[in-house]
Amino acid sequence: MTDVKPLHTFRYVTFDVVGTLIDFEGAITEALADIARREGREIDGEAALSVYRDARYDPEAQRFPDDLGRCYGRIAAALHLPDTPEHRQFMIDAVGEAKPFPDSLDAMAKLKARYKLIAMTNARRWAFAKYEEKLGFPFWASFTTDDTGTEKPDPAFFHQVFAHVEADGGTKDDILHTAQSQHHDIGISRKLGMTNAWIQRRHAQAGYGGTIEPTEFTEPDYHFHALIELADAAEDAFHA
């Protein structure tokens, strides 16, 4: 950790959801493994995530998780799986039902007791509604791509959240932005002058998995390997 604003001084914590709270990579690889088993085959999950990541760079990429159908076409071609409309919809549905990471519910419950929690997700509202329920409805406010009309790392997404916080009597300086994606969150939050916490979910794995690789690495203000580490650090800060 760097010498930054103490955790007990924030009023709000904003969250990336998919990849930080919800294990979308696990949902992708499990769904692909299920399709492969029906064909009597096995797949390399990391190889599949690499294809998915590259597909998300495409100009024709759609909103998450609807884009899983299109991305499956790329994955199927690369891994020699059958590409059917049924399989494409299966992938969309599977990722729409992605589960929280094992520590997410406990961590969010602890953080909710200390801060106003705000979801900032590149997922569509229909998928976020499922994720929010699985997380135990911890959020004070939520912003999806359907609400903002744009996706992170577009600064316009963040500015809509700033306006909401300002209407509540807060400021950007009262927010701790928490995320696993360097590309979508950590880099842009630094450029916008926010304090951030990087939850490095893939700390024990090489590469960026299903998340777009950043053009440059941003050193975070706070760095944890799991969300529960942030929640515990916040508890320690409030009791210090």
Side-chain angles (χ1 to χ4, degrees):
M1 292 182 192
T2 56
D3 184 16
V4 295
K5 186 175 179 178
L7 290 173
H8 70 278
T9 60
F10 295 100
R11 293 177 57 193
Y12 311 87
V13 182
T14 48
F15 290 91
D16 168 60
V17 176
V18 178
T20 304
L21 309 179
I22 297 292
D23 184 11
F24 82 106
E25 291 186 355
I28 290 174
T29 55
E30 287 174 16
L32 289 171
D34 188 41
I35 293 172
R37 278 193 296 270
R38 301 177 205 171
E39 302 298 314
R41 301 187 56 243
E42 294 183 356
I43 63 161
D44 181 331
E46 285 298 311
L49 290 175
S50 179
V51 177
Y52 169 77
R53 182 180 67 246
D54 290 344
R56 289 295 285 164
Y57 282 100
D58 291 348
E60 64 268 27
Q62 303 160 22
R63 296 288 167 86
F64 180 94
D66 301 56
D67 197 39
L68 260 296
R70 183 190 65 86
C71 290
Y72 175 74
R74 289 273 298 271
I75 296 169
L79 302 185
H80 307 292
L81 295 173
D83 183 8
T84 68
E86 292 76 19
H87 286 152
R88 290 189 176 209
Q89 188 61 50
F90 176 73
M91 291 299 302
I92 295 171
D93 294 342
V95 177
E97 295 293 346
K99 300 174 183 177
F101 288 100
D103 67 330
S104 291
L105 271 75
D106 187 22
M108 294 298 280
K110 289 183 177 181
L111 292 167
K112 183 181 179 181
R114 298 295 185 182
Y115 311 98
K116 290 182 176 180
L117 310 185
I118 304 173
M120 296 177 59
T121 178
N122 281 355
R124 296 197 62 192
R125 174 60 64 175
W126 73 262
F128 172 73
K130 292 175 178 289
Y131 302 151
E132 182 180 35
E133 181 177 7
K134 289 180 172 67
L135 290 165
F137 299 101
F139 298 108
W140 171 71
S142 59
F143 294 79
T144 74
T145 56
D146 289 331
D147 307 313
T148 63
T150 188
E151 296 183 345
K152 299 173 296 176
D154 186 348
F157 196 123
F158 288 79
H159 284 297
Q160 292 187 47
V161 177
F162 297 162
H164 190 79
V165 166
E166 288 166 5
D168 188 54
T171 71
K172 177 177 65 177
D173 292 337
D174 295 318
I175 303 171
L176 175 68
H177 188 58
T178 304
Q180 66 85 29
S181 175
Q182 282 274 328
H183 170 78
H184 295 101
D185 293 274
I186 301 303
I188 184 60
S189 63
R190 170 59 46 75
K191 291 178 182 177
L192 293 175
M194 302 178 77
T195 303
N196 56 40
W198 184 33
I199 310 301
Q200 191 185 5
R201 289 290 189 185
R202 289 182 58 88
H203 63 93
Q205 300 164 280
Y208 285 87
T211 302
I212 292 177
E213 185 173 353
T215 55
E216 61 181 347
F217 178 81
T218 300
E219 189 68 34
D221 296 303
Y222 289 94
H223 183 186
F224 303 99
H225 288 168
L227 188 65
I228 194 65
E229 295 175 7
L230 167 60
D232 289 343
E235 286 297 300
D236 290 344
F238 276 97
H239 287 115

